[in-house]
Amino acid sequence: MSVTLADVAARAGVSAATVSRVLNGNYPVAGATRNRVLRAVEELEYVVNGPASALAAATSDLVGVLVNDIADPFFGIMAGAVQSEIGHATRKLAIVCNTGGSPERELTYLTLLQRQRAAAVVLTGGAVEDPAHGEALAARLRRLDAAGSQVVLCGRPPLGAATAGPHPLTVTFDNRGGARRLTDHLLTLGHRRLGYLAGPAARTTTRHRLEGHRTAMAAAGLADDAERLTAHGAYDRASGYDGALELLRRDPDLTAILAANDTVALGVCAALRDRGLRIPQDVSVTGFDDLPFAVDAMPALTTVRLPLHAAGARAGRLALGREDAPPGGVATFRGDLMVRDSTAPPRR
């Protein structure tokens, strides 16, 4: 039996009129009430505007692109490349959905895109490592697939093998390899007192980059130092500034700091300058991603260049069915080490 508006209202504990207002978006509804309604819609798999079987055969001209933060060049470059592929090749409309890094908002956008019968959905950036969220995400992706939407992951790893249902096409980065090459570069220069500023602990990108760093440190016999001299924070400048001060508190004789990304590295450089330390004469600094400003920083950042535009463009083509699926459904882009002026051998 089909789920009705009344069923959703009963599950959410509101009136049918309130459910209608939330779904139509034509009347203000309190945030907590709106969330209850959307949760009930998802749990009951309620489909707006007719039976699900009718919707499965007819997608719209809409393509959804989910990003953590559109103001972050990492996401902006990929989203722009996806949108360019879609705009140049078809008459479909790309909608960028800014989640703010919220797992709940990510799920909400996926439900809304299913309701709008999106032709395709591209999810960018690292995934949240939480079993409950992983199950909820997989459920949303299964519903999108059943409704005829092509789902592509861009900049995040593929779904785990144990995940039930179809596995989306994936365009990912070799974050482990890039981080290991950065750390190996510093070790080759002679550094042995290295601090690492990682991103949020619950993100796949954070874990993979940290694993690459620790693999290199362990190979050099520095596994204990790698554990002690790691601090976590957000992927922003403020976290780089505060994190650098924390690492210096733990070991005032650090000769190098590896940052989670280029934006964090800018904060690290500011903190070092405020402490009267020179880069790289006193402390070497590295970033990650090679965002547009990295080469113009003072000094220019040693970093790992990720082909963000190329990855986004490929994700866009896969979403539109304009390119054959990669072997195994996964395309991996390698990051290239870019050695610039922010790293040098330690002072003897």
Side-chain angles (χ1 to χ4, degrees):
M1 181 180 295
S2 298
V3 177
T4 67
L5 197 73
D7 295 328
V8 176
R11 173 66 69 91
V14 299
S15 68
T18 298
V19 175
S20 180
R21 288 167 182 164
V22 170
L23 297 181
N24 292 328
N26 58 3
Y27 193 87
V29 178
T33 301
R34 180 177 178 276
N35 289 338
R36 286 208 315 276
V37 170
L38 291 176
R39 190 179 307 115
V41 167
E42 295 161 6
E43 292 170 352
L44 297 174
E45 299 188 29
Y46 175 69
V47 181
V48 183
N49 294 333
S53 58
L55 293 181
T59 58
S60 70
D61 290 329
L62 176 69
V63 176
V65 184
L66 272 65
V67 301
N68 282 0
D69 181 4
I70 193 61
D72 185 334
F74 178 89
F75 295 101
I77 293 170
M78 285 193 293
V82 173
Q83 194 166 34
S84 293
E85 284 292 325
I86 292 168
H88 292 164
T90 71
R91 294 185 178 181
K92 297 187 185 301
L93 175 66
I95 300 294
V96 177
C97 306
N98 196 85
T99 69
S102 164
E104 294 78 14
R105 200 171 301 165
E106 179 178 75
L107 298 177
T108 298
Y109 278 132
L110 291 174
T111 298
L112 294 173
L113 288 167
Q114 178 201 346
R115 192 172 300 141
Q116 294 297 320
R117 298 176 292 159
V121 176
V122 179
L123 289 86
T124 67
V128 175
E129 296 197 299
D130 174 75
H133 177 71
E135 292 176 7
L137 174 63
R140 301 310 189 281
L141 299 185
R142 286 195 295 271
R143 293 174 200 167
L144 283 162
D145 180 78
S149 301
Q150 175 65 66
V151 178
V152 179
L153 309 181
C154 182
R156 69 170 63 189
L159 296 181
T163 303
H167 284 218
L169 299 177
T170 302
V171 178
T172 190
F173 301 119
D174 179 17
N175 284 303
R176 290 187 184 90
R180 180 166 187 172
R181 283 188 289 278
L182 267 179
T183 303
D184 280 339
H185 165 66
L186 290 170
L187 292 170
T188 299
L189 290 176
H191 292 275
R192 291 297 181 270
R193 306 179 80 97
L194 289 75
Y196 188 90
L197 286 182
R203 293 278 173 179
T204 53
T205 300
T206 298
R207 178 168 61 84
H208 293 166
R209 293 181 182 182
L210 183 54
E211 286 174 353
H213 166 68
R214 288 184 171 173
T215 296
M217 293 289 281
L222 299 171
D224 291 342
D225 287 342
E227 180 77 23
R228 179 175 62 88
L229 295 175
T230 295
H232 287 271
Y235 284 112
D236 59 23
R237 183 184 182 279
S239 292
Y241 190 99
D242 295 339
L245 296 181
E246 169 61 20
L247 290 176
L248 288 171
R249 183 191 66 77
R250 296 182 191 181
D251 187 347
D253 296 322
L254 281 180
T255 63
I257 296 178
L258 299 97
N261 67 5
D262 295 336
T263 305
V264 173
L266 291 185
V268 171
C269 291
L272 294 175
R273 285 193 294 268
D274 287 351
R275 288 287 297 270
L277 296 171
R278 300 167 299 165
I279 307 164
Q281 294 91 336
D282 299 319
V283 182
S284 288
V285 178
T286 68
F288 207 109
D289 299 333
D290 198 25
L291 299 177
F293 60 76
V295 71
D296 295 321
M298 292 297 289
L301 279 175
T302 292
T303 185
V304 168
R305 173 179 291 171
L306 294 184
L308 300 174
H309 188 276
R314 187 166 189 183
R317 293 192 297 272
L318 290 170
L320 296 172
R322 295 180 52 241
E323 180 174 318
D324 292 338
V330 180
T332 302
F333 282 83
R334 182 181 187 273
D336 293 325
L337 179 64
M338 310 301 295
V339 178
R340 301 195 180 110
D341 296 337
S342 67
T343 53
R347 290 190 302 170
R348 299 299 182 186

